[in-house]
């Protein structure tokens, strides 16, 4: 059951990040003028899908608290790096972000770190 808590944390973290990126990109760039910035931020905060991203972060925190009852943080935390992998692939698929050699090398190092750390339990 503990791994389900970790998976829930990762899922809701990734959902929240992807939702925020998607919705905020629909609103355009942050304006230069202070009063326009305030209006811009208020519009963002009133968007239901952006609110779902914030709610998702809260739910991810609840799953993380549950995971902490099952695992040492030094064991569980590296699994959070899986969120980097998911965001990497989803950002390519959904937002057409570029694949660079540095991103791929970084991702390989993250996966290697997860594998090494998971053997320590």
């Amino acid at each position: 059951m503990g791994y389900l808590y970790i998976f829930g944390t990762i899922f809701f973290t990734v959902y929240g990040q992807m939702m925020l990126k998607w919705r905020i990109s629909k609103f355009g760039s942050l304006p230069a003028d202070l009063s326009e910035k305030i209006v811009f931020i208020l519009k963002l905060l009133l968007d239901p899908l952006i609110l779902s991203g914030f709610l998702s972060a809260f739910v991810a925190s609840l799953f993380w608290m549950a995971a902490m009852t099952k695992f040492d943080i030094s064991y569980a935390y590296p699994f959070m790096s899986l969120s980097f992998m998911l965001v990497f692939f989803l950002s390519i698929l959904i937002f057409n972000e570029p694949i660079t050699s540095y991103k791929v090398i970084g991702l390989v190092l993250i996966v290697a770190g997860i594998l090494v750390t998971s053997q320590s339990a």
Side-chain angles (χ1 to χ4, degrees):
M1 191 69 173
Y3 289 103
L4 181 63
Y5 298 144
I6 291 174
F7 172 77
T9 304
I10 294 167
F11 174 82
F12 285 106
T13 298
V14 170
Y15 168 84
Q17 294 303 309
M18 298 306 289
M19 185 57 63
L20 290 174
K21 170 62 177 168
W22 175 56
R23 293 305 298 161
I24 290 170
S25 67
K26 298 288 184 189
F27 283 86
S29 297
L30 187 65
D33 183 59
L34 179 61
S35 63
E36 291 177 12
K37 282 181 184 176
I38 293 169
V39 171
F40 181 83
I41 297 294
L42 289 174
K43 284 181 185 177
L44 291 177
L45 291 174
L46 295 174
D47 184 278
L49 293 174
I50 288 179
L51 291 174
S52 79
F54 288 140
L55 178 62
S56 181
F58 176 73
V59 172
S61 298
L62 297 177
F63 271 93
W64 186 246
M65 287 189 297
M68 291 297 90
T69 68
K70 302 291 182 184
F71 300 106
D72 291 337
I73 193 169
S74 62
Y75 176 77
Y77 199 72
F79 286 97
M80 293 303 300
S81 299
L82 293 172
S83 65
F84 294 122
M85 290 176 41
L86 290 171
V87 167
F88 174 76
F89 290 119
L90 289 173
S91 68
I92 293 166
L93 293 172
I94 296 171
F95 304 120
N96 296 314
E97 291 189 4
I99 301 170
T100 66
S101 58
Y102 287 112
K103 289 179 183 178
V104 172
I105 291 168
L107 195 61
V108 167
L109 291 171
I110 289 169
V111 172
I114 293 168
L115 292 173
V116 170
T117 305
S118 69
Q119 299 303 312
S120 67

